[in-house]
Amino acid sequence: QVQLMESGGGLVQPGGSLRLSCAASGKFRSIGGMAWYRQAPGNQRTFVASIASSGATNSADAIKGRFTIDRDYGKNIIYLQMNNLNPDDTGDYYCYADAQERVGRPYLGYWGQGTQVTVSS
């Protein structure tokens, strides 16, 4: 099993910054791609940014130039640096990871419990 634990959420004023973290733990052989998603109140969960095991990144248009995803491969942690936040960024932020538990087993997707981000004056 793989557990993902997000942290770093909170209340911030418009224009402010937050840095989210997501740590993978448990028994697994390999972590593949990891990503951040978010879910605003009353809306569906949407893609924010991803980082592959190769280091290649992808991000949603809404956050380009403001958010940066990076990864500590040794510690199996990903980060989301969020700058110039606005009220539309409010929501629960979820970490996602593809992980292989044992050799020969397929990669499966895992979700964290989420961390809340509120952007308000």
Side-chain angles (χ1 to χ4, degrees):
Q1 270 289 2
V2 179
Q3 291 83 42
L4 300 174
M5 178 65 71
E6 302 98 335
S7 61
L11 173 64
V12 63
Q13 291 187 340
S17 298
L18 283 174
R19 183 170 172 83
L20 305 183
S21 301
C22 170
S25 62
K27 292 185 177 182
F28 53 87
R29 175 180 177 273
S30 174
I31 298 286
M34 298 184 75
W36 289 99
Y37 287 75
R38 67 185 181 186
Q39 186 167 14
N43 291 336
Q44 292 184 330
R45 194 173 298 186
T46 59
F47 170 77
V48 175
S50 64
I51 184 164
S53 56
S54 65
T57 62
N58 191 19
S59 60
D61 288 342
I63 61 93
K64 285 186 189 299
R66 299 189 298 124
F67 294 7
T68 302
I69 186 170
D70 60 17
R71 182 167 174 173
D72 184 327
Y73 289 87
K75 297 180 180 179
N76 290 311
I77 298 175
I78 61 168
Y79 303 94
L80 186 68
Q81 177 65 44
M82 306 187 294
N83 298 327
N84 194 22
L85 285 159
N86 62 64
D88 289 340
D89 298 315
T90 294
D92 293 320
Y93 283 69
Y94 296 89
C95 178
Y96 173 88
D98 288 320
Q100 183 190 44
E101 291 192 14
R102 295 194 298 273
V103 173
R105 300 300 297 269
Y107 280 79
L108 301 178
Y110 296 87
W111 290 95
Q113 294 297 309
T115 185
Q116 188 173 52
V117 171
T118 302
V119 184
S120 175
S121 56

